Amino acid sequence: MPTPEELFHRALEITLGHEGGVSRDPKDTAGDGSGAPHTNLGITLKTVLALDADGDLPAYLRAQFDIDHDGDIDAADVPGWKHETAVEFYRLFYWGPTGCQALPFAIAVLLFDAAVNMGKGAAVRTLQRSLGVTADGVVGRATVAAARQRGGSDPFLGQMLAQRLDQCRTFKTANDHFLGWSRRCFSLHLEALKETV
């Protein structure tokens, strides 16, 4: 039986397989439209800067994101971000806060990937709508209980991904990215079906 840490690493491996490396896409809302590097390993510069501004970014992670050690985190640092930093970042800000560790693993795989791709609140509400519980964006007892009751069944995973794509249709960049999001969801469905933990 895999350990919780092994399950987290497996989910992260699946998501990073879809996220890829450095993005400079000027049409991506994660960037500033200039074509400067704004995302690496699925982590956006905007997210890191917001966490830093709020005082939520631990000093050790801040140092790892400041690749050139000039005291600030900016587009010049993004291409140098390391896998080890991504592991800590995603454990602290995505896996734990979305309650993935308490969910059936196939559902956790989909929720974690959605949180990285579309934001934590939107991802959790998508899960909750699929489960038929109050969509408040917080994984509490009712959400966990409903998810455990559903387990990782093929129909439920498909329903969860369909909810995600319905939400994605409303995004400003849907015309540019919807086909890619659809392919990602199809691939995730196949990946989640392999996870019978």
Side-chain angles (χ1 to χ4, degrees), residues 13-98:
E13 175 188 341
I14 291 169
T15 292
L16 290 182
H18 293 284
E19 285 295 336
V22 178
S23 175
R24 295 176 167 85
D25 183 354
K27 293 181 181 178
D28 190 338
T29 57
D32 61 7
S34 70
H38 56 72
T39 304
N40 191 0
L41 298 164
I43 302 170
T44 68
L45 178 59
K46 280 184 179 179
T47 299
V48 173
L49 292 177
L51 289 167
D52 193 35
D54 291 344
D56 294 330
L57 192 66
Y60 76 95
L61 273 181
R62 188 181 199 290
Q64 291 175 33
F65 281 120
D66 182 15
I67 296 295
D68 56 15
H69 307 294
D70 65 352
D72 68 352
I73 303 168
D74 56 26
D77 296 306
V78 173
W81 291 350
K82 304 280 190 283
H83 182 269
E84 297 77 21
T85 304
V87 170
E88 291 303 312
F89 179 84
Y90 283 125
R91 180 187 288 111
L92 184 61
F93 294 110
Y94 287 82
W95 185 258
T98 56

Side-chain angles (χ1 to χ4, degrees), residues 94-167:
Y94 287 82
W95 185 258
T98 56
C100 286
Q101 66 282 355
L103 301 173
F105 186 58
I107 293 175
V109 166
L110 299 188
L111 176 60
F112 177 72
D113 186 82
V116 172
N117 188 229
M118 60 195 288
K120 291 177 284 193
V124 171
R125 286 188 294 275
T126 295
L127 167 64
Q128 291 170 325
R129 283 192 294 273
S130 301
L131 292 168
V133 299
T134 302
D136 61 5
V138 178
V139 178
R141 277 185 255 170
T143 302
V144 171
R148 288 181 177 168
Q149 186 176 18
R150 293 291 185 102
S153 70
D154 185 5
F156 178 72
L157 297 176
Q159 182 181 353
M160 194 174 160
L161 289 165
Q163 283 283 340
R164 175 175 171 176
L165 287 174
D166 278 348
Q167 178 72 30

